[in-house]
Amino acid sequence: TQLLEQSPQFLSIQEGENLTVYCNSSSVFSSLQWYRQEPGEGPVLLVTVVTGGEVKKLKRLTFQFGDARKDSSLHITAAQPGDTGLYLCAGVGTGTASKLTFGTGTRLQVTL
Amino acid sequence: DAGITQSPRHKVTETGTPVTLRCHQTENHRYMYWYRQDPGHGLRLIHYSYGVKDTDKGEVSDGYSVSRSKTEDFLLTLESATSSQTSVYFCASMGQSHTEAFFGQGTRLTVV
């Protein structure tokens, strides 16, 4: 069983603060995807990281894939109210079946 | 946007009745997935498919079955619906590149 644990589960911060969300597993993944989900909608992809140690930046968001391809992190700099939402990591299994397992989710609220 | 649709979007059914949810994609994606999402949880994998007639169980497969007779269609069946299966169900598809999963709009199922 490939389990992905995200921490923290909930995060309430003020505008301008920085935050980091962690996604950890004991399993190795071929790639790791990060999604954001709004209420009533399906998740939408933010980024995919593939190589161990890879760092990707998307404006104020920085994503990192662990060297062993078992964990990842999402760092947001100077959070804004528009960043509010549910953040989900998802790992693609290394087998040919490409099982896609989602993390437990981090609900972020950014207030003025 | 990838073409992936779920039907029905909403359904209310009685305990003990069979229910089938349909997922249809027009992207010729090899991989398809069914998830359920409950309050306080991320997306939990029910079943997934890695090709026509090739399916496997996810973490919460009890009480569910799936079929994939064509690349574009992935059906999820609740053999005998129970109140614990009240949830929002999401279907997703992913191509060979493994870089992004595309989601349907979700099906809100209520078992009374």
Side-chain angles (χ1 to χ4, degrees):
Chain A
T1 300
Q2 300 167 312
L3 294 177
L4 277 165
E5 293 289 335
Q6 283 185 239
S7 61
Q9 277 189 292
F10 302 98
L11 198 52
S12 182
I13 61 173
Q14 290 189 320
E15 184 179 19
E17 291 186 36
N18 301 331
L19 67 118
T20 302
V21 177
Y22 298 94
C23 175
N24 295 303
S25 177
S26 58
S27 301
V28 176
F29 295 101
S30 64
S31 63
L32 202 295
Q33 303 166 0
W34 283 92
Y35 293 82
R36 179 175 153 186
Q37 186 181 21
E38 302 293 342
E41 299 179 7
V44 175
L45 183 76
L46 295 172
V47 81
T48 298
V49 284
V50 179
T51 307
E54 181 177 3
V55 177
K56 278 192 174 179
K57 291 191 175 184
L58 188 66
K59 296 183 180 178
R60 295 177 294 102
L61 278 60
T62 302
F63 303 84
Q64 186 162 9
F65 201 12
D67 290 341
R69 305 205 328 269
K70 293 182 179 182
D71 54 84
S72 182
S73 64
L74 157 61
H75 182 79
I76 300 179
T77 304
Q80 299 176 359
D83 295 328
T84 294
L86 179 64
Y87 289 83
L88 298 159
C89 63
V92 179
T94 54
T96 56
S98 296
K99 183 179 183 181
L100 182 63
T101 303
F102 274 78
T104 46
T106 295
R107 191 165 296 281
L108 172 65
Q109 182 173 28
V110 183
T111 56
L112 293 171
Chain B
D1 288 344
I4 181 165
T5 56
Q6 294 181 227
S7 59
R9 293 292 313 279
H10 303 271
K11 186 171 182 66
V12 179
T13 192
E14 293 186 349
T15 298
T17 60
V19 177
T20 296
L21 308 183
R22 180 176 184 251
C23 180
H24 179 77
Q25 55 109 350
T26 58
E27 301 299 313
N28 200 34
H29 285 165
R30 177 180 177 182
Y31 307 102
M32 295 187 76
Y33 309 86
W34 275 107
Y35 299 91
R36 61 177 288 174
Q37 188 170 37
D38 303 293
H41 290 274
L43 294 169
R44 292 188 289 176
L45 183 64
I46 305 171
H47 282 279
Y48 62 107
S49 171
Y50 46 97
V52 173
K53 292 185 168 51
D54 291 323
T55 64
D56 205 347
K57 296 179 179 180
E59 283 71 44
V60 292
S61 60
D62 287 350
Y64 302 94
S65 63
V66 289
S67 67
R68 192 164 178 207
S69 58
K70 298 186 290 185
T71 298
E72 56 266 35
D73 292 325
F74 193 31
L75 304 180
L76 175 70
T77 297
L78 288 66
E79 305 291 345
S80 177
T82 68
S83 58
S84 65
Q85 293 175 312
T86 292
S87 188
V88 178
Y89 291 84
F90 283 100
C91 172
S93 70
M94 186 168 69
Q96 295 271 57
S97 66
H98 298 159
T99 54
E100 181 174 3
F102 296 91
F103 285 82
Q105 316 94 308
T107 295
R108 184 172 295 276
L109 177 68
T110 303
V111 183
V112 298

